PDB file of all heavy atoms in Angstrom:
ATOM      1  N   ARG A1401     -14.749 -20.001   1.452  1.00  0.00           N
ATOM      2  CA  ARG A1401     -15.223 -20.017   0.080  1.00  0.00           C
ATOM      3  C   ARG A1401     -16.468 -19.174  -0.120  1.00  0.00           C
ATOM      4  O   ARG A1401     -16.661 -18.604  -1.214  1.00  0.00           O
ATOM      5  CB  ARG A1401     -15.510 -21.463  -0.346  1.00  0.00           C
ATOM      6  CG  ARG A1401     -15.984 -21.602  -1.791  1.00  0.00           C
ATOM      7  CD  ARG A1401     -16.175 -23.052  -2.158  1.00  0.00           C
ATOM      8  NE  ARG A1401     -14.916 -23.795  -2.109  1.00  0.00           N
ATOM      9  CZ  ARG A1401     -14.816 -25.101  -2.368  1.00  0.00           C
ATOM     10  NH1 ARG A1401     -15.912 -25.805  -2.665  1.00  0.00           N
ATOM     11  NH2 ARG A1401     -13.654 -25.707  -2.297  1.00  0.00           N
ATOM     12  N   HIS A1402     -17.307 -19.023   0.892  1.00  0.00           N
ATOM     13  CA  HIS A1402     -18.593 -18.355   0.708  1.00  0.00           C
ATOM     14  C   HIS A1402     -18.730 -17.056   1.496  1.00  0.00           C
ATOM     15  O   HIS A1402     -19.375 -16.126   1.024  1.00  0.00           O
ATOM     16  CB  HIS A1402     -19.739 -19.303   1.103  1.00  0.00           C
ATOM     17  CG  HIS A1402     -19.766 -20.575   0.303  1.00  0.00           C
ATOM     18  ND1 HIS A1402     -20.124 -20.623  -1.021  1.00  0.00           N
ATOM     19  CD2 HIS A1402     -19.462 -21.856   0.663  1.00  0.00           C
ATOM     20  CE1 HIS A1402     -20.053 -21.864  -1.452  1.00  0.00           C
ATOM     21  NE2 HIS A1402     -19.654 -22.636  -0.444  1.00  0.00           N
ATOM     22  N   ILE A1403     -18.165 -17.002   2.697  1.00  0.00           N
ATOM     23  CA  ILE A1403     -18.389 -15.838   3.552  1.00  0.00           C
ATOM     24  C   ILE A1403     -17.339 -14.752   3.339  1.00  0.00           C
ATOM     25  O   ILE A1403     -17.670 -13.593   3.060  1.00  0.00           O
ATOM     26  CB  ILE A1403     -18.449 -16.262   5.036  1.00  0.00           C
ATOM     27  CG1 ILE A1403     -19.671 -17.145   5.283  1.00  0.00           C
ATOM     28  CG2 ILE A1403     -18.475 -15.046   5.947  1.00  0.00           C
ATOM     29  CD1 ILE A1403     -19.823 -17.604   6.701  1.00  0.00           C
ATOM     30  N   LEU A1404     -16.067 -15.106   3.467  1.00  0.00           N
ATOM     31  CA  LEU A1404     -15.007 -14.098   3.377  1.00  0.00           C
ATOM     32  C   LEU A1404     -14.971 -13.375   2.029  1.00  0.00           C
ATOM     33  O   LEU A1404     -14.734 -12.162   1.999  1.00  0.00           O
ATOM     34  CB  LEU A1404     -13.659 -14.735   3.686  1.00  0.00           C
ATOM     35  CG  LEU A1404     -13.440 -15.166   5.138  1.00  0.00           C
ATOM     36  CD1 LEU A1404     -12.045 -15.722   5.333  1.00  0.00           C
ATOM     37  CD2 LEU A1404     -13.676 -14.004   6.094  1.00  0.00           C
ATOM     38  N   PRO A1405     -15.191 -14.046   0.883  1.00  0.00           N
ATOM     39  CA  PRO A1405     -15.208 -13.290  -0.378  1.00  0.00           C
ATOM     40  C   PRO A1405     -16.272 -12.196  -0.443  1.00  0.00           C
ATOM     41  O   PRO A1405     -16.116 -11.243  -1.196  1.00  0.00           O
ATOM     42  CB  PRO A1405     -15.466 -14.375  -1.433  1.00  0.00           C
ATOM     43  CG  PRO A1405     -14.937 -15.622  -0.830  1.00  0.00           C
ATOM     44  CD  PRO A1405     -15.241 -15.501   0.643  1.00  0.00           C
ATOM     45  N   ASN A1406     -17.320 -12.304   0.352  1.00  0.00           N
ATOM     46  CA  ASN A1406     -18.387 -11.305   0.307  1.00  0.00           C
ATOM     47  C   ASN A1406     -18.075 -10.072   1.147  1.00  0.00           C
ATOM     48  O   ASN A1406     -18.856  -9.100   1.098  1.00  0.00           O
ATOM     49  CB  ASN A1406     -19.707 -11.936   0.809  1.00  0.00           C
ATOM     50  CG  ASN A1406     -20.349 -12.834  -0.218  1.00  0.00           C
ATOM     51  OD1 ASN A1406     -21.017 -12.380  -1.131  1.00  0.00           O
ATOM     52  ND2 ASN A1406     -20.119 -14.131  -0.084  1.00  0.00           N
ATOM     53  N   VAL A1407     -16.996 -10.105   1.910  1.00  0.00           N
ATOM     54  CA  VAL A1407     -16.631  -8.937   2.722  1.00  0.00           C
ATOM     55  C   VAL A1407     -15.264  -8.387   2.313  1.00  0.00           C
ATOM     56  O   VAL A1407     -14.704  -7.542   2.998  1.00  0.00           O
ATOM     57  CB  VAL A1407     -16.642  -9.279   4.223  1.00  0.00           C
ATOM     58  CG1 VAL A1407     -18.013  -9.729   4.668  1.00  0.00           C
ATOM     59  CG2 VAL A1407     -15.599 -10.347   4.543  1.00  0.00           C
ATOM     60  N   ARG A1408     -14.726  -8.855   1.178  1.00  0.00           N
ATOM     61  CA  ARG A1408     -13.367  -8.473   0.816  1.00  0.00           C
ATOM     62  C   ARG A1408     -13.262  -6.994   0.456  1.00  0.00           C
ATOM     63  O   ARG A1408     -12.210  -6.365   0.688  1.00  0.00           O
ATOM     64  CB  ARG A1408     -12.877  -9.321  -0.339  1.00  0.00           C
ATOM     65  CG  ARG A1408     -13.694  -9.197  -1.618  1.00  0.00           C
ATOM     66  CD  ARG A1408     -13.235 -10.192  -2.650  1.00  0.00           C
ATOM     67  NE  ARG A1408     -14.085 -10.151  -3.837  1.00  0.00           N
ATOM     68  CZ  ARG A1408     -13.983 -10.996  -4.844  1.00  0.00           C
ATOM     69  NH1 ARG A1408     -13.071 -11.964  -4.792  1.00  0.00           N
ATOM     70  NH2 ARG A1408     -14.782 -10.901  -5.885  1.00  0.00           N
ATOM     71  N   GLN A1409     -14.349  -6.389  -0.106  1.00  0.00           N
ATOM     72  CA  GLN A1409     -14.254  -4.979  -0.484  1.00  0.00           C
ATOM     73  C   GLN A1409     -14.076  -4.104   0.746  1.00  0.00           C
ATOM     74  O   GLN A1409     -13.271  -3.157   0.751  1.00  0.00           O
ATOM     75  CB  GLN A1409     -15.507  -4.561  -1.262  1.00  0.00           C
ATOM     76  CG  GLN A1409     -15.435  -3.124  -1.781  1.00  0.00           C
ATOM     77  CD  GLN A1409     -16.581  -2.795  -2.711  1.00  0.00           C
ATOM     78  OE1 GLN A1409     -17.395  -3.647  -3.014  1.00  0.00           O
ATOM     79  NE2 GLN A1409     -16.645  -1.553  -3.142  1.00  0.00           N
ATOM     80  N   VAL A1410     -14.814  -4.406   1.820  1.00  0.00           N
ATOM     81  CA  VAL A1410     -14.668  -3.632   3.066  1.00  0.00           C
ATOM     82  C   VAL A1410     -13.266  -3.817   3.640  1.00  0.00           C
ATOM     83  O   VAL A1410     -12.632  -2.862   4.097  1.00  0.00           O
ATOM     84  CB  VAL A1410     -15.733  -4.084   4.080  1.00  0.00           C
ATOM     85  CG1 VAL A1410     -15.565  -3.339   5.393  1.00  0.00           C
ATOM     86  CG2 VAL A1410     -17.126  -3.878   3.523  1.00  0.00           C
ATOM     87  N   VAL A1411     -12.767  -5.045   3.593  1.00  0.00           N
ATOM     88  CA  VAL A1411     -11.440  -5.324   4.150  1.00  0.00           C
ATOM     89  C   VAL A1411     -10.352  -4.679   3.307  1.00  0.00           C
ATOM     90  O   VAL A1411      -9.371  -4.153   3.845  1.00  0.00           O
ATOM     91  CB  VAL A1411     -11.239  -6.849   4.265  1.00  0.00           C
ATOM     92  CG1 VAL A1411      -9.823  -7.169   4.721  1.00  0.00           C
ATOM     93  CG2 VAL A1411     -12.241  -7.449   5.244  1.00  0.00           C
ATOM     94  N   LEU A1412     -10.516  -4.685   1.979  1.00  0.00           N
ATOM     95  CA  LEU A1412      -9.520  -4.045   1.114  1.00  0.00           C
ATOM     96  C   LEU A1412      -9.459  -2.538   1.340  1.00  0.00           C
ATOM     97  O   LEU A1412      -8.378  -1.940   1.334  1.00  0.00           O
ATOM     98  CB  LEU A1412      -9.840  -4.332  -0.352  1.00  0.00           C
ATOM     99  CG  LEU A1412      -9.466  -5.716  -0.869  1.00  0.00           C
ATOM    100  CD1 LEU A1412      -9.945  -5.902  -2.293  1.00  0.00           C
ATOM    101  CD2 LEU A1412      -7.965  -5.955  -0.782  1.00  0.00           C
ATOM    102  N   ALA A1413     -10.617  -1.929   1.559  1.00  0.00           N
ATOM    103  CA  ALA A1413     -10.613  -0.496   1.862  1.00  0.00           C
ATOM    104  C   ALA A1413      -9.892  -0.209   3.170  1.00  0.00           C
ATOM    105  O   ALA A1413      -9.109   0.740   3.269  1.00  0.00           O
ATOM    106  CB  ALA A1413     -12.066   0.018   1.925  1.00  0.00           C
ATOM    107  N   GLN A1414     -10.130  -1.058   4.176  1.00  0.00           N
ATOM    108  CA  GLN A1414      -9.439  -0.883   5.441  1.00  0.00           C
ATOM    109  C   GLN A1414      -7.951  -1.215   5.300  1.00  0.00           C
ATOM    110  O   GLN A1414      -7.117  -0.622   5.997  1.00  0.00           O
ATOM    111  CB  GLN A1414     -10.070  -1.790   6.497  1.00  0.00           C
ATOM    112  CG  GLN A1414      -9.451  -1.679   7.881  1.00  0.00           C
ATOM    113  CD  GLN A1414      -9.550  -0.290   8.461  1.00  0.00           C
ATOM    114  OE1 GLN A1414     -10.560   0.394   8.260  1.00  0.00           O
ATOM    115  NE2 GLN A1414      -8.542   0.134   9.213  1.00  0.00           N
ATOM    116  N   PHE A1415      -7.619  -2.156   4.412  1.00  0.00           N
ATOM    117  CA  PHE A1415      -6.212  -2.525   4.217  1.00  0.00           C
ATOM    118  C   PHE A1415      -5.397  -1.325   3.763  1.00  0.00           C
ATOM    119  O   PHE A1415      -4.283  -1.095   4.242  1.00  0.00           O
ATOM    120  CB  PHE A1415      -6.122  -3.648   3.189  1.00  0.00           C
ATOM    121  CG  PHE A1415      -4.709  -4.075   2.881  1.00  0.00           C
ATOM    122  CD1 PHE A1415      -4.046  -4.960   3.717  1.00  0.00           C
ATOM    123  CD2 PHE A1415      -4.057  -3.588   1.768  1.00  0.00           C
ATOM    124  CE1 PHE A1415      -2.751  -5.346   3.435  1.00  0.00           C
ATOM    125  CE2 PHE A1415      -2.760  -3.975   1.484  1.00  0.00           C
ATOM    126  CZ  PHE A1415      -2.108  -4.861   2.314  1.00  0.00           C
ATOM    127  N   SER A1416      -5.933  -0.538   2.822  1.00  0.00           N
ATOM    128  CA  SER A1416      -5.205   0.638   2.354  1.00  0.00           C
ATOM    129  C   SER A1416      -4.992   1.642   3.479  1.00  0.00           C
ATOM    130  O   SER A1416      -3.893   2.198   3.633  1.00  0.00           O
ATOM    131  CB  SER A1416      -5.996   1.300   1.217  1.00  0.00           C
ATOM    132  OG  SER A1416      -5.308   2.404   0.697  1.00  0.00           O
ATOM    133  N   VAL A1417      -6.022   1.850   4.293  1.00  0.00           N
ATOM    134  CA  VAL A1417      -5.869   2.754   5.445  1.00  0.00           C
ATOM    135  C   VAL A1417      -4.860   2.178   6.439  1.00  0.00           C
ATOM    136  O   VAL A1417      -4.053   2.915   7.028  1.00  0.00           O
ATOM    137  CB  VAL A1417      -7.231   2.980   6.126  1.00  0.00           C
ATOM    138  CG1 VAL A1417      -7.072   3.781   7.404  1.00  0.00           C
ATOM    139  CG2 VAL A1417      -8.176   3.676   5.182  1.00  0.00           C
ATOM    140  N   ASN A1418      -4.881   0.857   6.592  1.00  0.00           N
ATOM    141  CA  ASN A1418      -4.000   0.235   7.571  1.00  0.00           C
ATOM    142  C   ASN A1418      -2.545   0.323   7.150  1.00  0.00           C
ATOM    143  O   ASN A1418      -1.655   0.427   8.005  1.00  0.00           O
ATOM    144  CB  ASN A1418      -4.408  -1.225   7.762  1.00  0.00           C
ATOM    145  CG  ASN A1418      -3.933  -1.798   9.079  1.00  0.00           C
ATOM    146  OD1 ASN A1418      -3.088  -2.669   9.095  1.00  0.00           O
ATOM    147  ND2 ASN A1418      -4.470  -1.298  10.182  1.00  0.00           N
ATOM    148  N   VAL A1419      -2.268   0.258   5.854  1.00  0.00           N
ATOM    149  CA  VAL A1419      -0.896   0.462   5.378  1.00  0.00           C
ATOM    150  C   VAL A1419      -0.431   1.856   5.739  1.00  0.00           C
ATOM    151  O   VAL A1419       0.708   2.063   6.177  1.00  0.00           O
ATOM    152  CB  VAL A1419      -0.816   0.216   3.856  1.00  0.00           C
ATOM    153  CG1 VAL A1419       0.584   0.565   3.339  1.00  0.00           C
ATOM    154  CG2 VAL A1419      -1.129  -1.230   3.526  1.00  0.00           C
ATOM    155  N   ALA A1420      -1.321   2.849   5.570  1.00  0.00           N
ATOM    156  CA  ALA A1420      -0.970   4.225   5.951  1.00  0.00           C
ATOM    157  C   ALA A1420      -0.703   4.313   7.448  1.00  0.00           C
ATOM    158  O   ALA A1420       0.237   4.980   7.886  1.00  0.00           O
ATOM    159  CB  ALA A1420      -2.090   5.177   5.544  1.00  0.00           C
ATOM    160  N   TRP A1421      -1.541   3.658   8.262  1.00  0.00           N
ATOM    161  CA  TRP A1421      -1.306   3.645   9.712  1.00  0.00           C
ATOM    162  C   TRP A1421       0.043   3.031  10.040  1.00  0.00           C
ATOM    163  O   TRP A1421       0.775   3.541  10.891  1.00  0.00           O
ATOM    164  CB  TRP A1421      -2.408   2.847  10.404  1.00  0.00           C
ATOM    165  CG  TRP A1421      -3.721   3.534  10.470  1.00  0.00           C
ATOM    166  CD1 TRP A1421      -4.014   4.809  10.028  1.00  0.00           C
ATOM    167  CD2 TRP A1421      -4.939   3.003  10.989  1.00  0.00           C
ATOM    168  NE1 TRP A1421      -5.331   5.089  10.233  1.00  0.00           N
ATOM    169  CE2 TRP A1421      -5.937   4.012  10.819  1.00  0.00           C
ATOM    170  CE3 TRP A1421      -5.308   1.799  11.561  1.00  0.00           C
ATOM    171  CZ2 TRP A1421      -7.253   3.822  11.222  1.00  0.00           C
ATOM    172  CZ3 TRP A1421      -6.612   1.612  11.954  1.00  0.00           C
ATOM    173  CH2 TRP A1421      -7.568   2.615  11.789  1.00  0.00           C
ATOM    174  N   ALA A1422       0.363   1.921   9.373  1.00  0.00           N
ATOM    175  CA  ALA A1422       1.620   1.238   9.666  1.00  0.00           C
ATOM    176  C   ALA A1422       2.812   2.129   9.332  1.00  0.00           C
ATOM    177  O   ALA A1422       3.796   2.170  10.092  1.00  0.00           O
ATOM    178  CB  ALA A1422       1.697  -0.061   8.857  1.00  0.00           C
TER     179      ALA A1422
END
Side-chain angles (χ1 to χ4, degrees):
R1401 182 177 297 178
H1402 301 289
I1403 294 180
L1404 290 183
N1406 284 279
V1407 299
R1408 61 186 176 186
Q1409 185 172 356
V1410 178
V1411 175
L1412 282 175
Q1414 181 61 36
F1415 178 82
S1416 182
V1417 174
N1418 202 247
V1419 174
W1421 286 357

